Amino acid sequence: MRFALGLFLIFLGFFVVLGYFSLGSLPNFIDNFSATWPLILVFIGISLLSGIKGLKWLKYVNALLILGYLFFLLLWPAPINFAYQSGAQDLLTKETLSENTVVELNIDSSICTVNIERLEGTIAGNSVGNVVYEISTGSEFYIHERDHDDTIQYNIGTEHSWPQRGKNRLNIKLLPGVLYRIILKGGVLKGGLDLSGIMVDSMTINAGVMDFDISLSDVYPISLKTEGGVGKFNVFLPQNAKAQVEINSGIKKITVRGYKETTGSAGEKIIGSISAKLKSFLEFDAGVLWLSFSD
């Protein structure tokens, strides 16, 4: 075990320097570990057998197997996909939407790819969106609706036991002209959030590992807050918008390409044209943060 871990750390250092491993590899690492963790039992079994006289050589085989497994977790380019089930479901509402109605989406899944975009085409007249899902076999997808004053709330997610965690994907399509509030919670969340043409007044992302491409709305200002351990975000601003940005992170790398970066009258950091009328508020809280603004 010590031999395997020692070699692993040596090679990992070289791979990081050469650019083969980065924060963007962490979601795949956790995806594949959640799907293959029973192999740890195999390694423990071989380790126990290596203590028997005449089977000492097994500890070297075990070291090589552990080393190969660790590199597989880090460097395999995509999550392993086992059997999964898929379907689609409209977000149907019993209430008539008014100008003050807010549709709140609470999305909760331990390990999931979440994509949000504008819905093109027509759907049922009492629908406020559509969800297409792919989840691992044995899991259960759910949507629960609850109304409270001027808020229509949908709790969306998957229920599963740890051995059944695998490929989970939610593609959520939202209607223009409806005001949304979105909350994303989970262990490992990644995907693309294209809010172009969508009205979202606030969005919260809370996860251990977060990896998202975010295109901000060109029709409505958003208040976005992210909280987690490790975060990687690529943010895209429309031409008519600017963003006030607050960053709280222990280790961070910030890149701004194609946008102006200025300081407001109160000392706040502004990304985008200072004269743009559409102003969003972005707050990033993470222990390790990789953030880029690019056009």
Side-chain angles (χ1 to χ4, degrees):
M1 178 70 73
R2 294 170 64 183
F3 172 73
L5 291 177
L7 283 179
F8 174 73
L9 292 174
I10 291 171
F11 283 110
L12 178 61
F14 283 114
F15 282 141
V16 171
V17 171
L18 296 174
Y20 288 105
F21 176 71
S22 66
L23 292 178
S25 305
L26 284 178
N28 283 346
F29 178 94
I30 298 176
D31 275 340
N32 289 329
F33 177 76
S34 69
T36 62
W37 69 268
L39 287 175
I40 294 175
L41 301 178
V42 176
F43 302 144
I44 294 175
I46 296 175
S47 178
L48 293 175
L49 289 175
S50 68
I52 300 175
K53 185 177 181 180
L55 296 178
K56 300 290 185 181
W57 56 272
L58 280 178
K59 66 181 180 180
Y60 300 107
V61 174
N62 201 32
L64 293 176
L65 290 175
I66 293 172
L67 185 64
Y69 178 61
L70 291 172
F71 278 117
F72 156 74
L73 291 177
L74 286 175
L75 302 176
W76 194 258
I80 298 176
N81 296 330
F82 293 106
Y84 65 92
Q85 55 187 322
S86 61
Q89 190 169 338
D90 284 337
L91 300 175
L92 301 176
T93 177
K94 303 171 186 176
E95 303 293 331
T96 301
L97 297 183
S98 67
E99 293 182 357
N100 298 322
T101 301
V102 177
V103 176
E104 182 176 301
L105 307 180
N106 290 307
I107 302 162
D108 190 354
S109 184
S110 299
I111 302 175
C112 192
T113 297
V114 181
N115 297 312
I116 296 177
E117 62 182 353
R118 176 177 173 175
L119 176 64
E120 303 292 347
T122 59
I123 56 176
N126 62 334
S127 176
V128 293
N130 176 269
V131 181
V132 178
Y133 62 88
E134 293 180 353
I135 59 176
S136 56
T137 299
S139 301
E140 180 181 352
F141 174 76
Y142 65 84
I143 296 179
H144 299 149
E145 180 188 355
R146 186 175 68 178
D147 298 338
H148 180 68
D149 295 333
D150 289 329
T151 302
I152 301 175
Q153 184 182 87
Y154 293 91
N155 295 318
I156 304 169
T158 57
E159 295 177 347
H160 48 223
S161 61
W162 175 258
Q164 295 169 331
R165 293 179 180 176
K167 175 184 178 182
N168 293 319
R169 178 183 297 271
L170 300 177
N171 294 326
I172 302 173
K173 298 186 178 182
L174 304 179
L175 291 171
V178 176
L179 183 59
Y180 295 95
R181 182 175 299 135
I182 301 174
I183 301 170
L184 297 171
K185 296 183 294 183
V188 179
L189 298 179
K190 59 182 180 179
L193 309 176
D194 186 356
L195 306 182
S196 303
I198 304 174
M199 298 167 55
V200 180
D201 71 346
S202 69
M203 176 182 289
T204 301
I205 304 174
N206 192 323
V209 178
M210 306 166 285
D211 184 358
F212 284 101
D213 292 336
I214 305 175
S215 297
L216 297 184
S217 175
D218 53 355
V219 297
Y220 203 85
I222 183 175
S223 177
L224 170 68
K225 182 173 183 179
T226 71
E227 297 178 299
V230 178
K232 179 182 178 183
F233 302 96
N234 297 313
V235 181
F236 306 93
L237 284 172
Q239 292 183 350
N240 64 329
K242 60 186 175 183
Q244 178 176 324
V245 181
E246 181 178 340
I247 298 171
N248 301 298
S249 177
I251 301 173
K252 57 182 177 289
K253 180 180 180 181
I254 315 298
T255 306
V256 179
R257 297 189 182 95
Y259 296 114
K260 294 181 179 179
E261 182 178 355
T262 56
T263 301
S265 57
E268 68 274 18
K269 181 189 294 291
I270 304 294
I271 306 295
S273 174
I274 197 71
S275 60
K277 295 182 178 180
L278 196 62
K279 182 179 181 181
S280 292
F281 297 86
L282 313 180
E283 181 178 347
F284 299 92
D285 292 342
V288 179
L289 178 65
W290 186 353
L291 175 63
S292 72
F293 292 86
S294 57
D295 53 10

